[in-house]
Amino acid sequence: MTSDEHTLLNHYNITNLYPTSWPSEKDESDASGDEKPAITTAGLAHQRSRSRYSALARKTSDRRSLVPGTERTGDGIENLVQKDEPDPLGGPDSVVRILRHRGLPVEEDQRLRNRFLLSSTTFSPTLYLSQVHSNASTQSLLQGLEFLSKSIDQKSASLKVLVESNFERFVRAKTTIDNVYAEMRNQGAEVPPAPQPRTHSRITSKGSAHFRKSSAQGGLSPRGFDKPLPSDKKKHALSKESEYGVQGIKAPLVEVAVKAEEIWGPALGGREREEALRSAMASVGKSSDIIQVDAAIARCIKNKDYDGLIEEFRKARRFTEAGAGAARAHAASNNRGSLTDSQMYQIVITGRMWSGVQVQMDDFKRDVWRRLSNVEGPPASSEINGADESMTLIKVLLELGVDDNPIWIWLFNKYEYLRNKITASFERSRVEIEILRRRLALAEPPSSISIRHHLKGPRDSAPHGASQQLDTPPIMELWELVHISISHLLSPSGGLVGEVVEFWEKAQSFIDGTAQRLLPLGIDGQSQKHHCLSTDDVRILQKGVVELVETLRESVFAFFADPPIDDVSMLYSPLPPTTPNTPKSAVFAPWAHQDSRFRLDANNPPPPSPKRDEAWEAFAFWPPYANALSGIHYLEKLLTLVGGGATELAGLRPVASSSTTQESLKILVGGTRERCINALLAAWTRDVCLFQSVEVWDRPNDRTDLTKMPMYFLAFENAVLLGLQKLAYIPNVASKGSTANVITAPSSAMLKPVRRGFERTIYILLAEMVKMAMEKEPATEDLSSLHSAPFGLAFKQGLTGKGQVEIRSIRLLLTMSNIKFFQAELVPQLITTFETNFSTRLTDESKTIKDVLIQIDEKLFGTYTKNIAEHLSSIIQTGITSPAWVPTTDRPTELRPYIYEALLVLVSIHTEILTTAPSLLHPIISDLFEQMVLAFLSAFRTRTDRYTLAALMQATLDVEFVASILSQYTSPKASELQSQVYQELDQRTDNSARTKLQNELPEMRSILKRLREGTRGEFACFKKQRTKA
């Protein structure tokens, strides 16, 4: 509010510049002094009859104040004390408005209001400053002092001008007062009447009439009035009985005195107050350093200038001690005189300063204690972080002086915070993992295409060294959540293990006394007692660290060893952070974010995982349907965290001195490792059972006799074996060379399941290979089509090697070729890898696997050749036992048709083998040749008649032609069987035929040569290929 607005309000005696109704008090007020009333005849007569002293008889209430805004009392009397006035120190608002806002009843209590108004004689500077300017700063008080000085000078000049301009009026008033006093003093005295001659009685009568008139008009002159009554004389006489003539006017005089004091008191006492204010102003000027301390401390607290705060606090203590010392010195002296104004002001200012400083420091200490207790960390905008801020706060408290030990309070609160955080973080993470695990278990399993893609990953990504997608996105998401949760618990950098280690290092520095070297001793060394921790405190800290380690160990071990939890109600019924009696340290990072994946409806909780007798149902950390490759990738990280965290914790002094805790950490690492390996072995077995989806019968460009599946299996097995080796030995942690031996080498008992798992996976894959190879075609296999269409569908598929092979014979050939590769390269390489990774020998397992491979190879070989051999035997048996087989001429020169039919079947088989698995060509054709010779022997034995020379020659031509065509596939067994054929023929003839046959042999050789030349094109595939030089 401006000064002009104050002037308007006081001039018109209103409280609002924009009133809505006419003030009621204006209706009761007298007419304005500026307005002249109407003069009537009676008024003129009455005005003429008044004496010259009638002005003194004017009622005080009739006077109009020249000061705007004066106050009218309840009896209608006004005084110079205003209802409201501007702030003497130049504030923007009026005094009464400020007090009204502060809730003081200044409008109802006039005396209370006068103590705050400068125009009142009861004005109290102390009360005024304490209420109106209670929150004023030192700078604003200094500005107000300057404004007050200028106002005093202006008012003193105004009073001086007032007296000079009305000096004659003051003189006339003094003369009138003296005359009145003389007349009043002589009024009560009895004056004898002067003798008057009768001739002058008329004049006397006239004079008497004049005095009576004057008396009737209230005149005070002793002359010319009627003889007063004795009571009137006594009343107005200046005697002791009438109190010297003032008994009648005592009450009006008292009232006049009060009004005069109210009107003229401020003017007459202004100089005294001026001197008092000047003295106060001088004291304030001298004490500016003291006044500025309070504001400086507030500024330091706001700016977090702790060094400046301590310096200002020490300065405040020095000023206070100086003031208290002066007061004590004055009290101790025998000087009975009071303190000077300057000394009193100095003491008052110092006391007020110290009172404000104490209030600020108490608030500051409470805030520092609160921040020191809130050990979860400073806000992100703070320039100080972590333990640095805590040490800063401890230094401040020790410097200022406190009763409790801030070092112990901080350490104990840090311990409580870590203990609660470990429990809350673990429980929260455990529930979140279970929620995603349930959702994954309720979803559809991965498709065969997805499984094939991921199982082929190790070989497909190896040449390029690129990272591959190890599993489906939902499974990878759950793996990532598990890894993040365990990392939050066990990571030495950023995890709870790192916080525990950091906490103990800080506690150890306080126990050893190294951290206290930079801590202050406080004022007069009063904080030195807090520098040393007691024996009980040290023991409590050591025990607390061991409890933190045990809590971490139990949480991690429970996660890996226990089955999945059933209760997930934590996510939809958490403890609200605003609940009373809930410490702030109970709210941690996992609660800081509300992931939409974990916002659950309490009325519709996620159902438990279905029971399908899957191995992963027993492991809380294993995602449902996850393959071994993703498991290796993440379990290696998890075990590295477990081993690294256990190693870090075991290195702590309290833990190292506790054999029980050391042993529990070893159990943690060993138990977690065993559970991880068991889960991986189960997933490994499951993946191998699904490995048949990888076999799509396509072949690599460099090995056309094999499919790609063995190479994929080799890469897959190598990846799993390498991962198992890392899980068993945890090399990334063991290489750190820590003195804490909590990671032990895997025992033989732990490796035994790995050996069995390795052997079992090979057996499972071999069984699946045999199963796929032995599957029947959708339609009945027609072997006659094999030689009737040598370049048919079977050969086209054999050449291209694309798509699912529907011809069983081709699957058998490819499977046999793969088995050969298993025997020669794959299995020996895997065994060597296993023995190298786990430093053990697989002697018995190796022998058993080799025997199984031989059995499988023999079974597949027999399965493939059985039907073909039976078909060939049927052709030969039918041809030889046919009546048309016996030649009609004495010297046969042609082969029987069954020979061509049988050889054409072999041509088809040769083409199938050559385009599918060339490495199997020789053993299969050799075996079939043996089966053909055996069929010859059986057929010749079947005939009951004896063989003539023509029959012997036909039999010899048939057998020798087949033998000559398949000469490169001849085996000792085939030669032996061929000899048996000739012996059988020899036994079924006579000597004459034998002799003639010997003579016909040269001719028969010519016939055989001609027959071979004639069928060179048809049977050229059986001819031995010449190697290029």
Side-chain angles (χ1 to χ4, degrees), residues 902-959:
L903 288 176
L904 285 177
V905 170
L906 283 180
V907 170
S908 300
I909 299 302
H910 184 281
T911 305
E912 183 180 72
I913 298 172
L914 186 64
T915 57
T916 304
S919 60
L920 300 176
L921 181 61
H922 191 279
I924 292 177
I925 299 298
S926 297
D927 182 78
L928 292 177
F929 177 49
E930 294 175 1
Q931 297 297 327
M932 290 179 68
V933 176
L934 186 61
F936 278 119
L937 178 61
S938 176
F940 288 139
R941 286 176 178 177
T942 303
R943 292 184 65 87
T944 57
D945 55 343
R946 296 187 63 84
Y947 296 104
T948 62
L949 176 61
L952 287 176
M953 292 179 65
Q954 186 65 52
T956 303
L957 285 175
D958 291 346
V959 173

Side-chain angles (χ1 to χ4, degrees), residues 181 184-189 229-251 253:
Y181 174 73
M184 291 177 65
R185 182 185 57 188
N186 299 328
Q187 183 178 3
L229 296 174
S231 59
D232 294 336
K233 292 181 180 180
K234 186 176 180 180
K235 179 178 180 181
H236 296 288
L238 296 178
S239 60
K240 185 176 181 181
E241 293 77 8
S242 62
E243 297 184 7
Y244 301 99
V246 297
Q247 185 176 6
I249 62 173
K250 183 176 181 179
L253 286 178

Side-chain angles (χ1 to χ4, degrees), residues 324-345:
R328 286 193 298 268
H330 183 273
S333 64
N334 295 327
N335 185 9
R336 296 182 178 271
S338 60
L339 295 171
T340 63
D341 292 344
S342 177
Q343 292 176 334
M344 291 181 64
Y345 280 125

Side-chain angles (χ1 to χ4, degrees), residues 368 372 389-399 406-407 410 510 519-520:
V368 171
L372 192 63
E389 184 187 21
S390 300
M391 290 299 296
T392 302
L393 298 178
I394 290 173
K395 290 179 181 179
V396 171
L397 291 176
L398 291 176
E399 189 68 54
I407 299 175
W410 179 76
F510 284 116
L519 297 180

Side-chain angles (χ1 to χ4, degrees), residues 715-982:
F716 175 77
E717 290 286 287
N718 284 330
V720 174
L721 290 176
L722 180 60
L724 282 170
Q725 188 265 346
K726 292 181 178 180
L727 296 185
Y729 293 94
I730 317 179
N732 295 335
V733 179
S735 61
K736 294 181 179 180
S738 176
T739 57
N741 187 19
V742 296
I743 302 177
T744 58
S747 61
S748 58
M750 182 182 295
L751 293 179
K752 186 176 295 185
V754 180
R755 296 165 66 110
R756 291 198 301 265
F758 170 69
E759 187 178 6
R760 182 170 59 250
T761 55
I762 295 179
Y763 294 154
I764 291 173
L765 182 66
L766 294 176
E768 292 295 329
M769 291 171 62
V770 172
K771 180 180 177 181
M772 293 181 64
M774 301 287 286
E775 286 180 351
K776 298 290 185 181
E777 290 83 355
T780 304
E781 191 178 62
D782 186 7
L783 290 176
S784 62
S785 64
L786 294 178
H787 61 271
S788 63
F791 299 102
L793 175 63
F795 312 125
K796 292 180 180 179
Q797 289 181 337
L799 288 171
T800 59
K802 302 294 183 181
Q804 289 289 346
V805 177
E806 297 181 358
I807 302 301
R808 183 187 182 201
S809 59
I810 295 180
R811 295 200 306 268
L812 288 171
L813 288 173
L814 292 175
T815 304
M816 283 189 291
S817 181
N818 290 339
I819 294 297
K820 293 292 184 182
F821 178 72
F822 269 71
Q823 288 177 310
E825 299 182 31
L826 192 147
V827 172
Q829 184 177 347
L830 290 179
I831 291 175
T832 302
T833 302
F834 187 94
E835 293 176 346
T836 303
N837 289 343
F838 297 99
S839 302
T840 184
R841 301 291 297 175
L842 297 178
T843 305
D844 296 337
E845 291 84 352
S846 176
K847 184 176 181 303
T848 304
I849 293 173
K850 290 179 181 179
D851 293 341
V852 170
L853 286 171
I854 292 174
Q855 294 174 10
I856 291 175
D857 181 62
E858 292 176 352
K859 180 179 180 180
L860 293 175
F861 189 88
T863 302
Y864 179 79
T865 59
K866 179 181 178 181
N867 292 336
I868 301 174
E870 290 177 353
H871 184 57
L872 292 173
S873 297
S874 176
I875 294 174
I876 294 173
Q877 187 76 22
T878 302
I880 293 177
T881 58
S882 174
W885 179 77
V886 178
T888 57
T889 61
D890 295 336
R891 181 176 292 179
T893 59
E894 298 293 336
L895 298 174
R896 292 306 182 193
Y898 80 92
I899 295 296
Y900 293 105
E901 183 181 357
L903 288 176
L904 285 177
V905 170
L906 283 180
V907 170
S908 300
I909 299 302
H910 184 281
T911 305
E912 183 180 72
I913 298 172
L914 186 64
T915 57
T916 304
S919 60
L920 300 176
L921 181 61
H922 191 279
I924 292 177
I925 299 298
S926 297
D927 182 78
L928 292 177
F929 177 49
E930 294 175 1
Q931 297 297 327
M932 290 179 68
V933 176
L934 186 61
F936 278 119
L937 178 61
S938 176
F940 288 139
R941 286 176 178 177
T942 303
R943 292 184 65 87
T944 57
D945 55 343
R946 296 187 63 84
Y947 296 104
T948 62
L949 176 61
L952 287 176
M953 292 179 65
Q954 186 65 52
T956 303
L957 285 175
D958 291 346
V959 173
E960 285 295 330
F961 182 80
V962 172
S964 62
I965 293 297
L966 301 177
S967 60
Q968 65 169 332
Y969 300 103
T970 302
S971 63
K973 184 179 179 180
S975 299
E976 182 181 355
L977 289 173
Q978 190 174 357
S979 299
Q980 293 179 9
V981 168
Y982 291 138

Side-chain angles (χ1 to χ4, degrees), residues 450-475:
S450 176
I451 294 173
R452 179 169 64 249
H453 171 71
H454 295 126
L455 293 181
K456 291 166 59 177
R459 177 171 175 80
D460 289 343
S461 62
H464 307 287
S467 60
Q468 71 278 10
Q469 185 72 18
L470 299 175
D471 219 320
T472 60
I475 294 176

